Amino acid sequence: LWKRAACAAALLACCFGGGALGSEADFAARVAPELVPAYQRLRPMKFAETGSEYARVSTRRLIGSARVPRDEAVVVRNVYIPNGDGTNLLRVRVYAPRGGEGPLPAILWMHGGGFLFGTPEQDEAQSIRFVKEVGAVVASVDYRLGPEHPYPAALRDCYAALAWLFREAEALGVDARRIAIAGGSAGGNLCAALALLARDRGEFAPAFQMPLYPMLDDRMETPSSREETDLRVWSPQSNRYVWDVYSRGTDGTDAVPPYMAPARAEDLSGLPPAYLCVSTLDPFRDEVLAYAARLAAAGVPVECHLYPRAYHAFETLAPETDYSRRVVDEYVEVLRRALHAE
């Protein structure tokens, strides 16, 4: 399956392919050797100069592409529901086992892409694997993106998808008592924010949350948020640009609510059990570790893994490595334990 993931990763990486920076040798020396080749294939991300349209075009090409992974054991379909504002239709890509007998647990997945680009198809191989190995239905949200749709459009779309998943659980063959929410990077932000929003509204209760290397704090006050990294991978420069777009320029001010930046939430009690992870060379390292510690202090069962000598989202950019395979194996096992607990 990693070969299929590598195929999708190659398509995704084409928006950052090629180029070189003077800091390459310094940064490469800090990276685990098996992750260096994938990093060296990337090109610098300079959103302030180029915007994000080139990345969006590249990821949107995955939709309907023959190179997107397929598996005869998994039925994949697009479902269209009212979006979070009722202004248009929202695409939810649903993955289910062919001939599966329910009710099954479900995973609401939110892709990454800095709130500016990305599609459910970029995580197709992983979604298929979740269906087959976790034994779950997966619903991946094609939420609205900036700069046209800044906060709160993406979160509203994800809440609409969560509400749909709960309300249509029986028709989908889903056990509403075993619905997890999960996502990576910007999708990890949406996962954490959705957990807060669901708790506060009290309409639906996800059983588990899995924000992977989530983008949690707009203030960028931690050491890791200011450490220089090569622009090929997620950097403080990329982070600042994305927060400015997502927040309409309010980032770093008191106008930012916790549903935009979950690290700002004062009360983390009553949230579903959580699994988080982050890498040592990720600008999000310190905010993720701090959030995990605060969840634990609030009485939330939490597991958090820190991956050494790795950059942001390395398992999606270097899926062919043993390191990445071990990490995704862990995602699968964590979800399996959470959703099939006796």
Side-chain angles (χ1 to χ4, degrees):
L1 191 61
W2 69 262
K3 292 182 178 178
R4 296 175 180 173
C7 178
L11 280 169
L12 185 59
C14 71
C15 47
F16 307 127
L21 287 180
S23 60
E24 175 184 347
D26 294 338
F27 185 76
R30 301 166 62 197
V31 175
E34 64 183 309
L35 300 179
V36 170
Y39 143 73
Q40 289 177 329
R41 291 194 295 267
L42 305 175
R43 90 174 189 195
M45 289 181 276
K46 299 181 179 180
F47 294 129
E49 298 176 16
T50 65
S52 60
E53 186 60 25
Y54 72 98
R56 184 183 300 188
V57 168
S58 296
T59 54
R60 297 303 288 184
R61 284 176 182 158
L62 292 170
I63 299 175
S65 169
R67 297 183 66 187
V68 170
R70 289 171 172 78
D71 193 300
E72 288 300 317
V74 178
V75 178
V76 183
R77 62 191 177 102
N78 293 317
V79 177
Y80 295 86
I81 65 174
N83 70 7
D85 299 326
T87 56
N88 210 325
L89 292 179
L90 168 68
R91 183 172 71 109
V92 181
R93 193 158 171 84
V94 179
Y95 308 78
R98 188 179 300 277
E101 295 184 5
L104 298 172
I107 302 161
L108 185 74
W109 176 260
M110 289 149 279
H111 67 76
F115 303 110
L116 298 176
F117 57 91
T119 68
E121 283 82 355
Q122 73 190 43
D123 301 314
E124 196 93 349
Q126 178 178 272
S127 294
I128 289 172
R129 186 171 180 192
F130 286 167
V131 172
K132 297 178 67 177
E133 298 183 32
V134 176
V137 172
V138 176
S140 187
V141 190
D142 195 9
Y143 56 84
R144 284 172 291 175
L145 301 169
E148 300 91 343
H149 302 288
Y151 175 86
L155 181 57
R156 286 177 176 172
D157 286 352
C158 292
Y159 191 84
L162 181 67
W164 169 80
L165 187 54
F166 269 93
R167 289 170 179 154
E168 297 298 320
E170 185 175 356
L172 293 166
V174 164
D175 181 354
R177 299 167 302 175
R178 295 186 291 157
I179 294 178
I181 55 177
S185 194
N189 168 294
L190 291 168
C191 174
L194 193 58
L196 291 168
L197 187 59
R199 178 201 65 182
D200 295 346
R201 289 190 177 179
E203 296 180 299
F204 313 103
F208 190 73
Q209 59 171 317
M210 192 170 78
L212 306 175
Y213 40 88
M215 180 179 171
L216 297 171
D217 199 337
D218 63 294
R219 292 165 293 193
M220 294 186 63
E221 295 174 346
T222 65
S224 67
S225 70
R226 298 181 179 185
E227 288 175 6
E228 287 301 317
T229 60
D230 194 307
L231 293 179
R232 284 176 171 77
V233 294
W234 203 253
S235 66
Q237 294 91 325
S238 298
N239 202 31
R240 173 55 62 212
Y241 178 85
V242 165
W243 272 118
D244 186 61
V245 172
Y246 187 56
S247 72
R248 290 193 180 101
T250 63
D251 51 307
T253 75
D254 292 339
V256 173
Y259 303 135
M260 182 192 295
R264 289 180 175 261
E266 295 182 3
D267 179 13
L268 299 183
S269 64
L271 292 173
Y275 170 89
L276 301 89
C277 68
V278 72
S279 303
T280 56
L281 302 180
D282 192 324
F284 302 153
R285 180 193 67 217
D286 297 343
E287 63 201 63
V288 171
L289 296 177
Y291 196 75
R294 291 184 57 217
L295 284 169
V300 177
V302 59
E303 180 177 356
C304 183
H305 283 213
L306 177 64
Y307 291 109
R309 302 190 69 184
Y311 42 80
H312 182 76
F314 71 94
E315 87 285 11
T316 68
L317 295 170
E320 73 283 359
T321 63
D322 288 339
Y323 199 161
S324 297
R325 292 192 200 105
R326 291 195 301 272
V327 169
V328 181
D329 286 348
E330 183 167 276
Y331 299 165
V332 170
E333 182 56 28
V334 165
L335 288 167
R336 186 162 44 208
R337 289 199 313 265
L339 295 176
H340 293 279
E342 294 296 332

